[in-house]
Amino acid sequence: MDTQTPAEIPMHTEKKTFVRRLAPDRSQRIRLIVQGLFVILNGWLGIQFLLWVRYYERGGQGFSVARPAGADGWLPIAGLMNFKYFLVTGIVPAIHPAAMFLFVAFLLMSLFLKKAFCSWLCPVGTLSEYVWKLGQRIFGRSLRLPRWVDIPLRGLKYLLLSFFVFIIGAMSAEALQDFMHAPYGIIADVKMLNFFRTMGTTAAIVLMLLVFFSLLVKNFWCRYLCPYGALMGLVSLLSPVKIRRDADACIDCGKCARACPANLPVDHLVQVRSVECTGCMECVAVCATQDALQFSLPPRKALAPAERWRGRALSPLAVAAAMACIFFGVILYAKATGHWQTNLPREVYLELVPHANQAGHPGM
Ligand code: SF4
Ligand code: SF4
């Protein structure tokens, strides 16, 4: 998806003048802060959710906290099921509605800001990023797989995504409703927590292998295996905001391509359409040339680069603000319309949570 038409390949016949960028780049500092805040938010939700589960595991004894609906963000499959249910029936599902609203919020981000969800918010993406950066410190470099290995491996995430879309696409609204109202659907979040709390040997080995490969290859999980990222990447093709290079200002130093964690040939593209671009702005951060590279809307028709990008380029603060507006806007809407929480009687959880591991998949 990162090929380009001949018309996009600029011909560099004359030596261009280097104009140093006027303002220092702050994108990576701002992105780090956003990533950190989101990790803290998820940590806080995780602790609150664990306390909630422990309360019900003790039969309703001890310290009681409310179930954090935000923990539904860790149920992307429930999000997809609920979204389909909503599209078919027009009814907001009663079980894990927050999973659907968060799913929609992340889709909207991808629609407007490329796959920025992956590099700015997703805690797994954040973990992946710092694991490969650690790997670079340990081994001195990251491993770049040859194209004949890289391209088929990149297809794996689409296979996984197709599997889920096929299964959920084939389910009727009634089947989706039955699934979500079955004990398995109601406590899918508790089962997810228990998976990590009581991990078996096989799962632990798979996890360790993933960490090992993530040390060697940049964003191993995201690039090859994450079906959520695959979906966000496909939606991001529609994004009007993209990384765009101004061939007149660019001095062809190639720093942007070398910095790109997705290994995209940024220095040879006029705009980065690739599904692998996560809008991380690392390429923009290393570019020292004024107006050469921006995360922006299509340029104006103007002769001077400065004019072309005026009012079109997004600052990192604008990216962070746009993400915050989408994220909090969707949550506020869900809360205001009374569709954020799963409202089930306490007795249901008292019965189901302590026996979560016994709740079998409804289809099995
Ligand atoms: S970093 Fe990339 S966009 Fe910036 S001047 Fe160098 S080649 Fe051009
Ligand atoms: S470095 Fe630039 S081109 Fe590469 S993934 Fe990040 S934003 Fe996209």
Side-chain angles (χ1 to χ4, degrees):
M1 297 262 187
D2 37 308
T3 51
Q4 58 183 159
T5 59
E8 281 183 316
I9 303 173
M11 302 295 292
H12 301 298
T13 49
E14 60 196 57
K15 192 161 167 33
K16 285 180 266 177
T17 317
F18 170 57
V19 181
R20 184 171 291 283
R21 156 209 244 147
L22 299 171
D25 179 82
R26 292 183 299 154
S27 64
Q28 298 315 295
R29 198 176 304 166
I30 293 170
R31 191 166 68 87
L32 178 68
I33 292 170
V34 174
Q35 284 178 320
L37 289 174
F38 213 67
V39 166
I40 291 169
L41 174 66
N42 275 277
W44 180 67
L45 289 173
I47 292 168
Q48 199 181 338
F49 184 67
L50 181 62
L51 291 172
W52 177 82
V53 170
R54 294 292 296 137
Y55 172 79
Y56 283 102
E57 283 177 341
R58 290 196 197 101
Q61 303 293 316
F63 184 57
S64 160
V65 293
R67 180 184 175 279
D72 282 0
W74 286 92
L75 301 175
I77 297 173
L80 185 57
M81 289 176 125
N82 281 345
F83 188 47
K84 179 181 170 189
Y85 181 81
F86 175 72
L87 290 180
V88 173
T89 64
I91 299 168
V92 177
I95 309 295
H96 303 305
M100 181 187 83
F101 283 106
L102 290 169
F103 178 74
V104 169
F106 301 145
L107 283 181
L108 286 175
M109 285 179 197
S110 304
L111 190 60
F112 293 114
L113 298 163
K114 287 296 287 177
K115 229 167 44 161
F117 163 74
C118 299
S119 64
W120 288 69
L121 292 189
C122 176
V124 181
T126 301
L127 186 66
S128 289
E129 179 177 341
Y130 291 96
V131 170
W132 72 253
K133 285 183 173 168
L134 175 69
Q136 275 196 340
R137 284 185 170 222
I138 297 170
F139 305 114
R141 60 188 285 262
S142 294
L143 193 66
R144 193 164 169 170
L145 299 182
R147 276 175 73 84
W148 63 270
V149 181
D150 180 59
I151 291 174
L153 281 184
R154 270 158 56 186
L156 284 178
K157 60 181 182 286
Y158 298 106
L159 277 181
L160 289 168
L161 174 64
S162 312
F163 171 77
F164 291 120
V165 169
F166 177 75
I167 300 277
I168 294 168
M171 289 172 82
S172 65
E174 292 72 33
L176 289 166
Q177 161 118 334
D178 290 348
F179 185 96
M180 293 311 295
H181 284 77
Y184 189 96
I186 293 173
I187 50 162
D189 45 3
V190 183
K191 288 184 80 72
M192 164 94 81
L193 177 73
N194 288 352
F195 171 80
F196 288 102
R197 283 199 299 179
T198 56
M199 193 180 289
T201 315
T202 314
I205 291 172
V206 170
L207 207 62
M208 280 193 291
L209 280 174
L210 280 175
V211 172
F212 176 69
F213 288 127
S214 301
L215 279 168
L216 298 179
V217 179
K218 289 178 183 173
N219 296 326
F220 182 84
W221 166 261
C222 312
R223 187 172 178 86
Y224 299 126
L225 295 170
C226 179
Y228 208 53
L231 178 62
M232 298 298 153
L234 292 175
V235 175
S236 81
L237 288 171
L238 301 171
S239 169
V241 175
K242 290 180 172 57
I243 293 291
R244 297 178 199 272
R245 190 178 65 96
D246 191 311
D248 291 339
C250 169
I251 56 161
D252 309 310
C253 66
K255 280 185 190 170
C256 48
R258 288 194 293 278
C260 176
N263 300 328
L264 295 168
V266 189
D267 57 337
H268 286 97
L269 299 171
V270 171
Q271 58 176 346
V272 179
R273 286 192 299 240
S274 170
V275 286
E276 301 297 339
C277 175
T278 60
C280 66
M281 297 181 80
E282 292 220 21
C283 51
V284 178
V286 297
C287 178
T289 311
Q290 181 68 23
D291 298 319
L293 200 62
Q294 31 268 316
F295 195 34
S296 71
L297 291 162
R300 294 169 192 277
K301 286 191 179 14
L303 280 180
E307 278 302 304
R308 269 177 225 150
W309 304 109
R310 198 153 48 81
R312 298 295 165 132
L314 261 73
S315 71
L317 264 184
V319 175
M323 295 181 91
C325 285
I326 294 172
F327 184 68
F328 293 113
V330 169
I331 292 175
L332 280 177
Y333 173 81
K335 286 192 174 187
T337 53
H339 292 305
W340 182 241
Q341 291 285 352
T342 301
N343 292 313
L344 284 174
R346 186 173 175 272
E347 291 68 34
V348 174
Y349 291 122
L350 275 173
E351 189 184 330
L352 294 181
V353 173
H355 313 291
N357 289 345
Q358 278 94 58
H361 195 284
M364 294 178 181

